[in-house]
Amino acid sequence: MKCSFCGRNIGEVVARPGALVRCRYCGVAMVVTHPDDAGRPGGQACVGQASRWDRYGQVARSIGVAIAVLLVIVVLSIAFLRSSGTWVTISYGPLVDRTQIVGNGETLGSALAREDQKGAVQPFLDGYSRLLSAAVQMRNGPDPVPLCDVADLFEPGDAQPAWVALCRTGRLRVLTSGRGMARVFLLGDDPVSAYERHYGVVRHALGMLAQQSGPLRAEIYAYRHDYAKSELSLYTKPHIVESRAFGPSKAAVDLEGLASFFAAGPVLEGARISGKHGLVLYGTEGEPQTLAGKQVALSDLAVAYRAVLHAGDNDAFVSLDPHADVTKSTVNFGGYLEDTRIGRVVLEADKRFKTITCGLDPDTGQDVRYATRAVVQAFQTNAERDLMIEGEDDGRWIGTRFWYYPDVVGVDCDLNWEYAALDKPRFTADAERSRDDFASHEDFEASRRAQLSPSVRACIDHLNQNHTDYARAFPELSELTTVARLMGVCSWLAKADNREVDLDGLLGVTLPPCRTERERDKLIAATVAKRRTGTGAVSHAQLQKSLTYYLTPLLNRSVGRVFGSEAKVRRFANDKDRLARGTTDVFRRMASGEFELLRSSKVREVMTCKRDLELLVEYWAESANAPEVESEVELSGQIAADRRALDRLKATIGLLKRALDGAGSVEEFNRLVDRHNAVVRTHRMTLERHNRLVRQFNALRFRVRYILAIGG
């Protein structure tokens, strides 16, 4: 028998109908029943099999507990709940964590203060629509049967219809009892018009419920959402809809025909939309079109359609943003691209910027500079370009954000918006300085492009000008062009304002299983090259011998292994130049008697801020090159001692030569000859050692210069 709540197999259970069985894994108690005559939910859990509706009930009861907690929060923590006629306003401001980082790099609190940032804050606030059902119960009393959110019936990343993501984020919310009743919350000014406007989307969820339970009675509520005020306004009088089926209200889109188009594997070139012909796609033969290594399918078009036409202000994007753990980055998506193949491609393309900046593969940490140059002529990383710039480094860390934008994806269409042809379907790379580098939003907006490093600009220009070569080197960049084609067609569909074909039928397409990252370790790297003392730039020949080190593994090593001893950390932390730029509590603690307490901790466990990471990399760079500095001092002393010894030996040889000339007997002459020869041999050996040390010393005259990088 399987538990109807957690789904685990609890073994065979022999029990009569009505007996109580408890799961040994999750502790949930279940009543053994048999299906009723009509096969309706409520009695479908039998010995050996737990029905889906039993699981709905268990989930619903859990949700009921959560709702009860939320009711307390609404009463005690929410600022106020006020009513005006048929509208109820719910303020959830005290529940919002305004320190979260949104997709543009700002804090949520900062973005909320500006009207033009609705798209940035939408993913963080739409989920508060869960309070709407609590407000209904506060006015009407508790629900007779606890309701379950339909999005909870699907696990993120599993195969599921495209419409589910719209419910999961909370912009559209559908609750069900699993017994022929649903409650729906839609954005709008009144429930009737909201239902008509959103019918193409919500019909999929209602149709699924009606198919499973029979005739469905749905309560349709309208609500407004004011992000700036952190308020939800609920129209409390529902529109009641009862039906056995929820079909399209327009001409159905030919999903089978579109699926056949993608199965043939063409390169998407254009489209046509009309009431007579529906949606027709056009393509040409070419290289196989893939996304995340799989052939492009109808489900990918459904994802692009959802991102363009049903994402609200939340435009499609991917961003690596600050994480609660300073050693990690949070992966944020816009346009509901998470857990999709399109989302995986845009994330991999964004991660590939790390190769362009430091030369490392973002997943393996391998140095791929030379492999890239075999395909992309004149490829140079941002670090290599910085090494070749004249001048010494001032020790400042400069933050830069990279991204792709679709502004150049052109679509040619006729005056009636019936036909469309793709023109230059390719995303363009760009970059700007990080928001953290500026004191205010105004300074950031004025200087984010103007103060971009020349080396970064050169890398971006080279990438855009040689896109075909880069796409051959990195498959995800080639697949990004396929994404641009799908997005281009869907952007045209949005502007065509079609009113005859039910394009929302695409939201019923099942998406294949796919899971995208939610977080990842920061990529930490150091590019090291030797240059002649006294010059700031590294020559091209020296650059070819440069090494790039993958330093992220340092985070999982112990403090004792990475930092060595308290004395070493003290010398590092007390450096005057470094003190001027600022140290941190962690380094001050390690340098002031607490090193042994932290010795066995992992480095990532003691890192608390961005500056900690910067100092970690600086410490590695300096300590890794300290032996060469010490060797130079030691060699200099040995060379000076050998020179003094050679001078003494040379003077001794001169004295012995004069003594040989005045030898009074053969015995004395032979004795002086033996001594002379021994001193000459010593002189020759000392001279050879001296010359060898001089060559070693000259080799050390090439000092190490390094470029350090910390990226998402």
Side-chain angles (χ1 to χ4, degrees):
M1 180 176 180
K2 287 186 178 179
C3 174
S4 59
F5 183 72
C6 70
R8 296 185 179 181
N9 192 339
I10 59 177
E12 288 194 20
V13 176
V14 179
R16 66 182 185 279
L20 191 66
V21 177
R22 185 174 299 277
C23 175
R24 64 174 179 269
Y25 296 105
C26 66
V28 169
M30 296 164 287
V31 176
V32 178
T33 63
H34 287 289
D36 60 18
D37 294 337
R40 297 282 298 279
Q44 293 184 350
C46 58
V47 175
Q49 182 179 12
S51 79
R52 188 175 188 180
W53 286 109
D54 279 339
R55 178 163 183 167
Y56 288 3
Q58 296 291 350
V59 173
R61 281 188 283 275
S62 297
I63 297 298
V65 174
I67 288 176
V69 175
L70 282 174
L71 287 174
V72 176
I73 294 175
V74 170
V75 174
L76 300 178
S77 302
I78 296 181
F80 52 84
L81 175 66
R82 62 182 184 273
S83 176
S84 176
T86 55
W87 287 94
V88 168
T89 299
I90 309 164
S91 176
Y92 59 84
L95 304 178
V96 178
D97 179 4
R98 297 171 184 268
T99 64
Q100 298 175 90
I101 304 299
V102 301
N104 63 2
E106 295 183 61
T107 64
L108 178 57
S110 173
L112 280 172
R114 296 192 290 119
E115 182 67 22
D116 62 343
Q117 293 302 308
K118 287 184 177 179
V121 304
Q122 179 181 321
F124 296 86
L125 300 184
D126 275 353
Y128 287 99
S129 64
R130 64 183 179 272
L131 298 174
L132 294 170
S133 188
V136 170
Q137 294 183 71
M138 289 180 71
R139 289 181 64 89
N140 302 338
D143 294 317
V145 178
L147 303 183
C148 169
D149 195 316
V150 295
D152 293 336
L153 306 178
F154 302 90
E155 290 293 332
D158 288 351
Q160 56 197 266
W163 59 263
V164 174
L166 303 179
C167 295
R168 179 175 290 117
T169 58
R171 187 171 181 81
L172 164 74
R173 194 166 289 279
V174 180
L175 307 176
T176 179
S177 66
R179 290 170 170 78
M181 180 270 180
R183 181 175 294 154
V184 181
F185 297 95
L186 304 172
L187 286 168
D189 295 325
D190 70 87
V192 175
S193 63
Y195 180 66
E196 292 176 351
R197 185 168 65 256
H198 296 286
Y199 177 78
V201 181
V202 74
R203 75 172 180 87
H204 295 289
L206 298 180
M208 179 194 74
L209 297 176
Q211 185 179 17
Q212 295 171 342
S213 66
L216 184 70
R217 183 180 188 275
E219 301 174 356
I220 312 298
Y221 288 89
Y223 78 98
R224 302 167 183 159
H225 198 165
D226 189 325
Y227 295 144
K229 294 181 180 180
S230 300
E231 288 183 353
L232 296 160
S233 297
L234 174 67
Y235 193 92
T236 58
K237 294 182 179 180
H239 169 53
I240 306 300
V241 176
E242 296 187 40
S243 179
R244 287 179 175 272
F246 295 83
S249 59
K250 306 175 184 178
V253 66
D254 184 6
L255 296 179
E256 291 185 4
L258 294 174
S260 298
F261 171 85
F262 287 107
V267 178
L268 180 62
E269 298 289 359
R272 179 186 184 184
I273 183 78
S274 68
K276 180 179 179 180
H277 300 93
L279 175 61
V280 180
L281 302 180
Y282 300 100
T284 59
E285 292 185 0
E287 292 292 326
Q289 303 294 289
T290 64
L291 290 174
K294 305 292 184 180
Q295 181 173 325
V296 178
L298 175 60
S299 59
D300 300 310
L301 177 64
V303 170
Y305 176 81
R306 184 180 68 187
V308 175
L309 281 85
H310 289 289
D313 296 303
N314 184 21
D315 294 334
F317 73 90
V318 64
S319 178
L320 299 176
D321 298 317
H323 189 283
D325 181 344
V326 71
T327 67
K328 297 178 179 292
S329 294
T330 299
V331 182
N332 285 323
F333 289 94
Y336 306 104
L337 294 184
E338 60 272 17
D339 296 330
T340 68
R341 298 195 301 201
I342 286 181
R344 181 173 294 177
V345 169
V346 296
L347 175 58
E348 292 302 316
D350 186 85
K351 288 159 54 178
R352 187 55 65 184
F353 278 123
K354 308 307 179 273
T355 298
I356 295 172
T357 56
C358 68
L360 297 180
D361 182 275
D363 293 320
T364 66
Q366 297 294 315
D367 187 347
V368 295
R369 291 177 298 160
Y370 302 103
T372 303
R373 290 186 184 115
V375 182
V376 183
Q377 293 185 355
F379 168 71
Q380 284 187 328
T381 66
N382 178 61
E384 290 174 325
R385 294 177 189 273
D386 279 339
L387 286 171
M388 296 183 70
I389 295 176
E390 186 75 23
E392 298 292 340
D393 302 322
D394 60 5
R396 291 184 306 148
W397 285 81
I398 299 176
T400 307
R401 291 173 64 92
F402 298 84
W403 72 90
Y404 286 97
Y405 67 95
D407 292 7
V408 297
V409 179
V411 181
D412 295 329
C413 59
D414 64 318
L415 296 178
N416 295 323
W417 292 87
E418 182 176 349
Y419 293 91
L422 295 173
D423 178 38
K424 297 180 181 178
R426 179 167 64 82
F427 290 96
T428 298
D430 208 345
E432 66 184 21
R433 289 285 298 278
S434 293
R435 173 66 178 83
D436 291 346
D437 289 351
F438 300 90
S440 67
H441 176 75
E442 290 71 25
D443 292 342
F444 169 66
E445 290 294 336
S447 305
R448 59 179 180 171
R449 299 286 182 87
Q451 294 187 16
L452 194 64
S453 163
S455 59
V456 171
R457 174 51 55 196
C459 284
I460 292 297
D461 291 344
H462 192 264
L463 172 59
N464 289 327
Q465 294 163 8
N466 300 274
H467 180 270
T468 301
D469 291 338
Y470 278 94
R472 290 205 315 270
F474 307 117
E476 59 268 34
L477 300 190
S478 177
E479 293 185 336
L480 194 62
T481 300
T482 302
V483 173
R485 293 180 182 276
L486 293 171
M487 290 290 192
V489 166
C490 292
S491 296
W492 162 73
L493 287 174
K495 296 175 183 177
D497 193 24
N498 159 72
R499 299 185 181 182
E500 298 179 294
V501 182
D502 180 38
L503 292 175
D504 285 340
L506 289 167
L507 297 176
V509 174
T510 298
L511 308 185
C514 184
R515 183 75 175 175
T516 51
E517 294 176 276
R518 267 42 177 186
E519 62 181 26
R520 59 182 288 105
D521 282 342
K522 289 184 179 295
L523 191 149
I524 307 176
T527 302
V528 180
K530 289 186 177 182
R531 59 172 171 79
R532 290 186 179 278
T533 301
T535 63
V538 173
S539 70
H540 182 74
Q542 295 163 353
L543 193 65
Q544 297 305 306
K545 299 179 181 179
S546 65
L547 298 174
T548 297
Y549 295 93
Y550 180 50
L551 303 182
T552 301
L554 292 179
L555 298 174
N556 292 320
R557 295 177 184 172
S558 69
V559 169
R561 180 179 177 187
V562 172
F563 293 100
S565 68
E566 182 177 314
K568 291 182 178 180
V569 178
R570 187 182 303 113
R571 286 197 298 269
F572 172 83
N574 291 336
D575 178 83
K576 292 183 179 180
D577 292 336
R578 186 163 294 102
L579 286 171
R581 297 196 303 273
T583 58
T584 64
D585 288 340
V586 169
F587 277 81
R588 282 192 287 268
R589 287 169 55 200
M590 287 195 295
S592 304
E594 294 189 30
F595 184 85
E596 291 302 322
L597 295 176
L598 301 174
R599 175 180 286 278
S600 60
S601 301
K602 287 185 177 181
V603 170
R604 70 162 68 246
E605 294 172 348
V606 302
M607 298 287 105
T608 60
C609 64
K610 180 181 177 181
R611 184 58 180 155
D612 284 340
L613 284 182
E614 293 172 352
L615 290 172
L616 165 67
V617 183
E618 290 178 14
Y619 180 88
W620 176 90
E622 294 190 14
S623 62
N625 295 297
E628 292 194 350
V629 176
E630 294 172 1
S631 296
E632 183 176 335
V633 174
E634 182 180 352
L635 285 173
S636 179
Q638 291 179 357
I639 290 171
D642 280 348
R643 284 176 179 170
R644 292 192 294 271
L646 288 172
D647 289 340
R648 290 195 298 270
L649 290 170
K650 187 176 181 179
T652 300
I653 291 172
L655 291 174
L656 289 173
K657 285 183 177 180
R658 288 194 292 272
L660 285 171
D661 293 338
S665 64
V666 174
E667 291 80 4
E668 183 181 3
F669 180 85
N670 291 336
R671 181 174 53 79
L672 291 173
V673 166
D674 291 340
R675 186 180 177 190
H676 173 271
N677 292 341
V679 174
V680 168
R681 285 193 298 271
T682 301
H683 181 274
R684 184 171 63 251
M685 293 172 60
T686 303
L687 181 61
E688 290 176 353
R689 183 179 63 194
H690 172 270
N691 292 338
R692 184 178 69 255
L693 294 176
V694 169
R695 287 193 297 270
Q696 293 179 11
F697 181 83
N698 289 336
L700 288 178
R701 300 288 291 178
F702 289 86
R703 296 298 182 101
V704 170
R705 187 181 182 195
Y706 43 80
I707 301 296
L708 310 176
I710 301 174

